[in-house]
Structures are given as C-alpha cells and as structure tokens.
C-alpha cells in the first residue's frame, strides 16, 4: 500500500562520518558502504553503549569478522556528535587515523598507513569540505520537484502497521563526487518500520548531478525531511 501523503524538503547541513563506543544499548549492522542491513551478510557492526543517558555515549565499530574498526565518544547519537578522541583501525589492528573533536568540530587529526608510517591526513579536509557551502549544490535528475515525486512513488507504507503514525522522519545522506547517494542515516525517526522504508527509498535514488566546489566535484551533506500525514 502506498503511503497516503508525503511532503519533502532539502536542507544543507554539517555532516561528520562517525562511529563510537560505551554501556551496551544496541547493536547495528551495516553493508560494505555503511548502509543499515540485517546481520546476515553484513560487513560491519556497531555496538553503542551509554555513559550518561542523553548526554554521553561510547560507540565501537567492528569489521564483520570481529576486528576493531573505530572507537570514540559521542555526546549525541541523533544527530551524531563526536566529542574527544576518536580512533580508526585497519583489520590488522594498526591505527589508521585519529582525530580530536570538541562538540562535533574536529580540532586535529592524523593518519597512518598499515605499516605505521604517518601519511597526509584527509580527515580534516573531508570535514571542512562537508561544512562549507558548495559553489553548486547537487541536483536530482529533473530538479527538486522530482525528489518529491520519487519519494511519493517509491515509499511503500508497511502493511504490518495497523495504526498509522503521523509525523516527520528526518533522513541525512551524502551525495558523493560521483553523484551517488551514500551514508544514509535516520536523524529523527517515527517508527522502526517507517524509518527502515525511508532508508531504503533514499538509498535507492538514482545518481544526482554532483556538487561542485572550486571547480571540482565534492561530497555534499543533505537533509531530507519526510512528513507522513
């Protein structure tokens, strides 16, 4: 059954790729490109633990085979806000990157190759790129109105829901330099089944025309509110 009414809008917002660790409250599984999926066949999984409910979390990401991939502290899970030292690792256990955040803003960062040699960092460059307004925003095929049509045509209301929740699902994602929609996540959920469907539909979008900054294609963070009435 198609959803009865959906209205959408796009907003540019600061986006940070994240992962964190602390007192276990949830385990989430991801595909190779970090899209949520069932446990079977997943490439990564995340364990979220609570230090102080609503204020402090420790999140740990693992490769699907169990090796540590990332660990750090968050002050918020939705939206995700890193705070303090965050570390990423190669499968062999070697440190891949390390950065220090203050309330979501990165102050410093370093990267290393698998042999432990320090390499030029791309962490700060990536964070800075996503925080600035591009010269040209990504464009969905056919323009903004086609986004609304695409969501309305492809969002299927779950049959399992007998009583229809009403409200807004806030979805964040990145349009990468090739125009692909990646890193799709829920910022504000409405119901697990509706949230899952929102992720599915946004992830299925065709390629966009990439954003441009200083003459080159760049990753641009986007926010898509989906109002369900």
């Amino acid at each position: 059954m198609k959803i009865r009414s959906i209205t959408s809008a796009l907003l540019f917002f600061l986006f940070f790729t994240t992962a964190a660790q602390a007192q276990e409250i949830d385990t989430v599984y991801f595909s190779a490109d970090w899209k949520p999926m069932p446990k079977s066949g997943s490439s990564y999984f995340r364990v979220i633990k609570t230090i102080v409910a609503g204020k402090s979390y420790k999140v740990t990401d693992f490769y699907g085979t169990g090796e540590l991939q990332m660990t750090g502290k968050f002050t918020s899970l939705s939206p995700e806000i890193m705070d303090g030292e965050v570390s990423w690792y190669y499968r062999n256990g070697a440190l891949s990157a390390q950065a220090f955040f203050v309330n979501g803003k990165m102050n410093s960062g370093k990267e290393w190759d698998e042999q432990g040699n320090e390499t030029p960092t791309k962490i700060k460059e990536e964070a800075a790129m996503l925080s600035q307004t591009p010269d040209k925003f990504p464009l969905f095929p056919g323009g903004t109105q086609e986004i609304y049509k695409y969501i309305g045509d492809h969002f299927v209301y779950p049959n399992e829901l007998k009583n229809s929740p009403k409200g807004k699902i806030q979805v964040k994602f990145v349009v990468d330099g090739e125009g692909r929609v990646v890193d799709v996540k829920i910022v504000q959920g409405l119901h697990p089944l509706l949230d899952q469907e929102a992720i599915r539909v946004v992830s299925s979008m065709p390629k966009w025309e990439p954003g441009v900054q200083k003459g080159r294609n760049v990753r641009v963070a986007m926010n898509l509110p989906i109002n369900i009435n």
Side-chain angles (χ1 to χ4, degrees):
M1 178 174 67
K2 290 283 184 71
I3 190 163
R4 296 188 301 275
S5 174
I6 299 178
T7 59
S8 308
L10 290 179
L11 301 171
F12 177 75
F13 77 110
L14 177 61
F15 172 84
F16 292 98
T17 305
T18 63
Q21 174 185 27
Q23 279 342 349
E24 186 168 17
I25 60 172
D26 198 11
T27 300
V28 184
Y29 297 90
F30 299 92
S31 63
D33 55 355
W34 289 95
K35 293 179 181 177
M37 65 172 294
K39 179 179 180 180
S40 178
S42 59
S43 297
Y44 302 97
F45 65 93
R46 170 175 295 179
V47 176
I48 305 170
K49 299 182 179 181
T50 302
I51 299 173
V52 179
K55 294 183 178 180
S56 183
Y57 304 89
K58 196 174 182 183
V59 181
T60 308
D61 286 349
F62 297 89
Y63 293 99
T65 46
E67 301 90 347
L68 179 64
Q69 194 271 341
M70 191 276 321
T71 183
K73 193 183 86 171
F74 285 20
T75 55
S76 171
L77 296 175
S78 180
E80 295 176 343
I81 299 176
M82 293 179 177
D83 194 62
E85 188 176 88
V86 180
S87 302
W88 291 264
Y89 298 86
Y90 292 107
R91 282 184 180 273
N92 65 6
L95 192 62
S96 166
Q98 196 168 64
F100 190 83
F101 293 83
V102 177
N103 195 31
K105 297 185 181 295
M106 192 179 76
N107 283 359
S108 60
K110 291 185 178 182
E111 293 187 29
W112 297 266
D113 61 24
E114 293 189 62
Q115 287 70 48
N117 302 308
E118 189 172 345
T119 60
T121 181
K122 296 180 181 178
I123 302 175
K124 194 167 186 177
E125 178 183 342
E126 177 79 354
M129 183 187 303
L130 288 171
S131 67
Q132 61 184 322
T133 302
D135 298 329
K136 179 183 177 183
F137 278 94
L139 180 66
F140 187 81
T144 302
Q145 291 302 320
E146 288 300 312
I147 299 173
Y148 310 151
K149 185 175 186 303
Y150 185 90
I151 297 295
D153 288 347
H154 292 81
F155 195 109
V156 180
Y157 194 90
N159 290 326
E160 300 93 317
L161 284 181
K162 305 300 181 184
N163 298 315
S164 172
K166 294 179 175 62
K168 180 170 66 176
I169 302 172
Q170 193 86 3
V171 184
K172 68 178 181 180
F173 61 95
V174 170
V175 177
D176 70 11
E178 296 182 5
R180 297 173 300 187
V181 173
V182 299
D183 300 334
V184 182
K185 296 180 181 179
I186 298 296
V187 175
Q188 175 184 320
L190 182 59
H191 184 282
L193 293 177
L194 293 173
D195 298 347
Q196 183 178 359
E197 178 63 9
I199 289 175
R200 184 195 69 79
V201 173
V202 173
S203 299
S204 72
M205 284 182 173
K207 279 189 174 183
W208 294 46
E209 183 179 324
V212 177
Q213 181 72 27
K214 296 180 180 178
R216 67 188 183 97
N217 293 354
V218 294
R219 289 164 56 90
V220 178
M222 309 296 292
N223 186 29
L224 177 63
I226 300 176
N227 294 321
I228 301 179
N229 304 315

